[in-house]
Amino acid sequence: MGMYFIISGLFYSTMLNCVYHSKKHVDSDETRIFSSLLGLNLIGLILELFSSIFGQSNNVSVLLSAIMTRFYILYLMGFLLLFTLYIYIICYKTSNDKKILYFDALKKVSYVIFYIAAVAMIFMPLRLHSGYADGMAVDFVYLCSAACMGIWLLSMFKNFRRIKKQKFLPIVLFIVLAGIMSIIQRSHPSFTVMTAIQTFVIFLMFFTIENPDVKMIEELNLAKDEALKASKAKTEFLSSMSHEIRTPLNAILGFSNGLLDDTTEPKILEDAKYIIDASESLLELVNGILDISKIEANKMELVPAEYDTEGTLDSLVALAKTRLKDKPIQLKVSFDEDIPKRLYGDVSRLKQIILNLLTNAIKYTERGFIEFKVDSITKGDRVRLIISVEDSGLGIKKEDIDKLFSKFTRLELNKNISIEGTGLGLAITKKLVEMMNGKIVVQSEYGVGSKFIVALDQEYVECKDLQLENPPIILNKKVKSFDNKKILIVDDNKLNLKVAEKVLGPYNVITTLAESGVEAKEILKNDSFDLILLDDMMPNKSGVETLKELKEENPMFDIPVVALTANAINGMKEKYLNEGFDEYLAKPIDKVELARILNKFLN
Ligand code: ADP
């Protein structure tokens, strides 16, 4: 009967070893001990099997049988020591510990005990019977087992609170079962089931006590948390870096634009244009890196709102015209007449997508035409916009089409080296289109031209009021004069104040400067203004706090306040509108945006 137990134990142990070692598991003291227990148990079963067979067979020499039995007893000693180490781990390990106190010392003591037992095993008397053995060596193991079980039970109950419940029960069950079996085996020595019971407990431990996959998931979760923290730190770093870079850029752009208005000296004009071009590419790069890092950190959110379609498309055409400068390119525009007047979607992202395609067409076309087409298909409240931008430019080689949307990838660098670019535009465009559940495709013939087509859905909005909130921006027109309108500019940075004053110069407004929220509040006590440009990031009192106090102290406060900030992380506009600002103006100040805002509030 004992033989059946040994054979089935052998079967389970082999399977368990195969399964355990074929899987990846965490490398810890606990798993190492568990792995040794598994291996040792298999060896024990083989030894027990052979010593049983040899003991019952008359053809095998007594010496061989004795060696097998002694090895088997040694195995039992090894198992006791390993199990003691395992109990020590589960009793004294806390989840944060990388190293368990005194564990290495205990391991060394166990090795010493094992070697002493191995030597003692050679000399200790042993009597062999048919199928079992007795004598001093066997008594010694029984004694050690009883001592170990006592120690295990004591430690388990003493550390009851620390031990995880699922570990506690099977081990106590094993100790009790092993105790009972030892007593039975002592009175019926041929009933050899001890090793099979050990297999059974290791089997239970595999599923309920020590599940390496669960530990792997725990470790992975920890790693994920770490990665998320790092990514958050990266986004925060980028946000502050953007702020830091945008502040001096604001000054560079403001003053060089001022030079264009102030001087007629050709050399200075030419240099100022170079400075403006370089600053604008730097700004584009900062914005691109910000966008891509936001997308990769899954922080990019769409902010849908109702918008005026015609005004939006017209403003894009106007921007494209200014970017064309004096290139000999014909800009053809065709918008489907059926496009609803008002749509619901993230208009700033839609503009970003289209502007990227138009800008690329302009950059990579020397002469010929650029065709900007928008068609629409309306189905219920869904409006599918089909936007296409075609050019007669450089074209893209077939083998390069796949690389087009990878970040920081620029094609044909030998030809395009003089064209400013970061290789981020199309990567961002594609991600934005995908976020809007749309599709982007490219058709291109090298040397002939390219066509980028974007299809995405927006929501239909019933058009009740045809009057536009923001009239389309007409560029290249002389700036409007807002004579005698009073504007208060608040910024802690003197250079920024000068820049704001300079860009407002052509509008003939009266500007007052304040270097802090406190100063602004003082000025507002005695004077009235038509508009306030209020920087947010100021020491002591931020723009948000200043505005809050102004509104709390004077419930009648009705001067329009525009948030002026270099913090260009997406979603900022919405944040400032929620904080009670009437508009948002990013630094470096964009002339077109400034014109729109002045038109909105000073008309
Ligand atoms: P960037 O224009 O800043 O280099 P993009 O991601 O917008 O980066 O474009 C990646 C590359 O794809 C460009 O460097 C250019 O080689 C190529 N490309 C993009 N649009 C066009 C186009 N309309 N015609 C020809 N090549 C283009």
Side-chain angles (χ1 to χ4, degrees):
M1 168 129 168
M3 191 67 103
Y4 293 122
F5 277 107
I6 298 171
I7 290 171
S8 53
L10 206 57
F11 174 75
Y12 272 102
S13 183
T14 314
M15 298 272 281
L16 216 53
N17 267 286
C18 290
V19 172
Y20 183 78
H21 290 292
S22 64
K23 276 188 178 183
K24 261 191 111 181
H25 27 75
V26 205
D27 190 28
S28 68
D29 287 328
E30 198 171 344
T31 49
R32 274 195 294 269
I33 296 285
F34 181 73
S35 166
S36 311
L37 274 172
L38 258 180
L40 193 69
N41 180 246
L42 186 64
I43 297 171
L45 283 160
I46 296 169
L47 288 171
E48 193 175 27
L49 181 72
F50 279 106
S51 47
S52 263
I53 295 171
F54 293 171
Q56 283 167 12
S57 163
N58 298 326
N59 306 329
V60 182
S61 80
V62 177
L63 181 68
L64 195 60
S65 187
I67 291 175
M68 274 299 159
T69 311
R70 280 176 197 273
F71 267 121
Y72 176 68
I73 293 172
L74 203 58
Y75 150 76
L76 287 174
M77 284 299 297
F79 190 90
L80 289 177
L81 290 169
L82 267 182
F83 211 78
T84 308
L85 290 177
Y86 187 81
I87 301 268
Y88 185 81
I89 291 173
I90 61 163
C91 286
Y92 295 103
K93 188 185 170 203
T94 60
S95 50
N96 308 330
D97 281 350
K98 281 247 165 342
K99 275 237 147 298
I100 308 160
L101 206 63
Y102 303 128
F103 181 70
D104 284 340
L106 193 69
K107 228 159 66 177
K108 281 182 192 142
V109 172
S110 306
Y111 285 140
V112 174
I113 297 177
F114 185 76
Y115 292 132
I116 294 174
V119 176
M121 212 41 69
I122 304 172
F123 305 105
M124 267 196 262
L126 185 77
R127 272 193 308 276
L128 294 176
H129 303 275
S130 164
Y132 71 96
D134 60 16
M136 193 177 162
V138 176
D139 293 341
F140 176 70
V141 174
Y142 272 113
L143 204 70
C144 289
S145 305
C148 282
M149 281 177 205
I151 295 170
W152 297 343
L153 270 181
L154 261 174
S155 320
M156 296 282 290
F157 281 104
K158 195 172 153 236
N159 297 291
F160 178 72
R161 278 176 200 284
R162 273 208 226 180
I163 302 169
K164 287 187 185 159
K165 255 191 230 127
Q166 71 263 43
K167 286 176 193 269
F168 190 83
L169 271 178
I171 291 179
V172 170
L173 184 79
F174 166 63
I175 299 172
V176 173
L177 215 65
I180 297 169
M181 281 305 152
S182 306
I183 296 167
I184 297 176
Q185 217 172 320
R186 191 94 181 116
S187 48
H188 300 83
S190 59
F191 190 60
T192 46
V193 289
M194 190 53 94
T195 328
I197 286 177
Q198 289 163 358
T199 313
F200 175 64
V201 169
I202 292 173
F203 181 69
L204 277 188
M205 275 156 75
F206 179 77
F207 291 107
T208 57
I209 305 172
E210 178 51 39
N211 186 344
D213 289 342
V214 170
K215 291 206 76 178
M216 279 283 268
I217 292 165
E218 265 175 32
E219 296 238 329
L220 282 175
N221 278 337
L222 273 179
K224 190 178 135 206
D225 288 349
E226 289 291 313
L228 282 178
K229 254 192 232 161
S231 157
K232 198 169 164 232
K234 187 182 85 175
T235 310
E236 275 162 16
F237 166 74
L238 283 170
S239 155
S240 55
M241 185 195 77
S242 116
H243 183 252
E244 296 306 321
I245 293 179
R246 280 168 160 267
T247 306
L249 254 185
N250 181 37
I252 297 171
L253 271 169
F255 284 110
S256 12
N257 270 313
L259 271 182
L260 292 186
D261 299 332
D262 295 347
T263 182
T264 48
E265 180 72 41
K267 182 80 185 101
I268 297 177
L269 275 177
E270 193 188 344
D271 287 354
K273 277 186 189 148
Y274 285 135
I275 297 172
I276 292 169
D277 279 353
S279 313
E280 278 171 353
S281 347
L282 184 57
L283 191 61
E284 193 190 320
L285 180 67
V286 173
N287 287 344
I289 292 175
L290 273 173
D291 278 348
I292 206 89
S293 67
K294 270 221 130 185
I295 290 171
E296 284 178 354
N298 279 333
K299 290 268 172 65
M300 179 77 89
E301 274 171 26
L302 295 177
V303 189
E306 223 179 286
Y307 64 91
D308 156 44
T309 330
E310 215 178 303
T312 306
L313 294 177
D314 284 347
S315 69
L316 285 163
V317 174
L319 275 170
K321 279 184 181 156
T322 53
R323 293 193 180 183
L324 265 174
K325 292 183 182 149
D326 40 17
K327 270 191 171 180
I329 296 172
Q330 186 197 357
L331 180 65
K332 302 182 203 168
V333 178
S334 101
F335 300 146
D336 180 3
E337 282 185 0
D338 295 336
I339 302 175
K341 296 263 174 294
R342 292 191 79 76
L343 288 174
Y344 181 84
D346 188 331
V347 70
S348 69
R349 294 299 166 199
L350 180 71
K351 275 166 105 175
Q352 189 177 353
I353 292 169
I354 302 176
L355 200 60
N356 265 340
L357 299 182
L358 285 171
T359 312
N360 274 354
I362 296 166
K363 281 198 303 192
Y364 302 105
T365 305
E366 276 314 310
R367 60 187 61 80
F369 72 91
I370 289 172
E371 185 168 11
F372 174 29
K373 246 173 112 178
V374 184
D375 286 308
S376 71
I377 304 166
T378 308
K379 241 189 192 172
D381 62 352
R382 299 254 108 206
V383 180
R384 176 154 303 173
L385 294 180
I386 300 148
I387 304 148
S388 90
V389 177
E390 189 175 357
D391 63 55
S392 61
L394 291 174
I396 301 150
K397 286 183 186 160
K398 260 203 174 70
E399 63 265 30
D400 285 341
I401 297 255
D402 288 343
K403 298 183 219 153
L404 210 58
F405 297 104
S406 321
K407 57 183 179 186
F408 296 111
T409 304
R410 306 203 65 211
L411 311 172
E412 302 272 311
L413 262 185
N414 48 346
K415 276 195 190 171
N416 295 345
I417 197 84
S418 58
I419 303 172
E420 293 282 356
T422 57
L424 281 174
L426 285 179
I428 295 169
T429 306
K430 185 163 193 246
K431 298 256 177 175
L432 290 177
V433 171
E434 282 166 357
M435 276 180 75
M436 293 174 148
N437 294 325
K439 279 217 152 45
I440 179 165
V441 287
V442 195
Q443 296 163 353
S444 186
E445 198 174 326
Y446 188 57
V448 178
S450 320
K451 187 173 182 180
F452 286 78
I453 305 162
V454 169
L456 47 82
D457 288 353
Q458 300 281 281
E459 269 175 54
Y460 176 78
V461 179
E462 194 79 47
C463 189
K464 292 178 208 115
D465 184 7
L466 274 180
Q467 208 191 344
L468 305 178
E469 282 163 20
N470 303 333
I473 300 141
I474 295 138
L475 290 163
N476 294 340
K477 222 180 140 191
K478 259 196 103 45
V479 291
K480 207 169 162 180
S481 196
F482 296 104
D483 293 336
N484 300 325
K485 293 279 179 189
K486 289 169 75 182
I487 301 182
L488 173 65
I489 313 166
V490 192
D491 198 316
D492 60 305
N493 186 314
K494 281 201 181 99
L495 203 58
N496 282 344
L497 284 175
K498 286 260 170 250
V499 175
E501 206 178 13
K502 188 136 196 128
V503 290
L504 283 169
Y507 293 94
N508 281 339
V509 287
I510 303 164
T511 49
T512 305
L513 309 180
E515 281 181 37
S516 68
V518 181
E519 194 185 333
K521 279 175 68 185
E522 276 307 308
I523 295 172
L524 281 163
K525 273 186 195 154
N526 310 315
D527 211 346
S528 175
F529 291 88
D530 298 293
L531 183 67
I532 302 174
L533 301 182
L534 180 56
D535 180 38
D536 181 28
M537 291 194 196
M538 292 185 291
N540 301 329
K541 207 184 287 285
S542 71
V544 172
E545 285 163 356
T546 311
L547 179 64
K548 209 170 146 213
E549 286 176 18
L550 281 170
K551 289 196 170 174
E552 273 168 9
E553 286 161 19
N554 178 9
M556 306 295 282
F557 183 87
D558 63 351
I559 307 171
V561 184
V562 177
L564 191 65
T565 173
N567 194 341
I569 285 268
N570 292 313
M572 274 302 144
K573 179 166 181 174
E574 293 66 37
K575 181 195 148 201
Y576 285 113
L577 295 189
N578 283 338
E579 297 282 4
F581 285 87
D582 298 277
E583 260 296 349
Y584 162 89
L585 189 57
K587 284 190 265 188
I589 298 170
D590 181 70
K591 276 187 175 176
V592 179
E593 265 301 281
L594 179 71
R596 183 182 69 78
I597 287 173
L598 295 181
N599 261 317
K600 185 170 171 182
F601 296 113
L602 299 185
N603 256 334

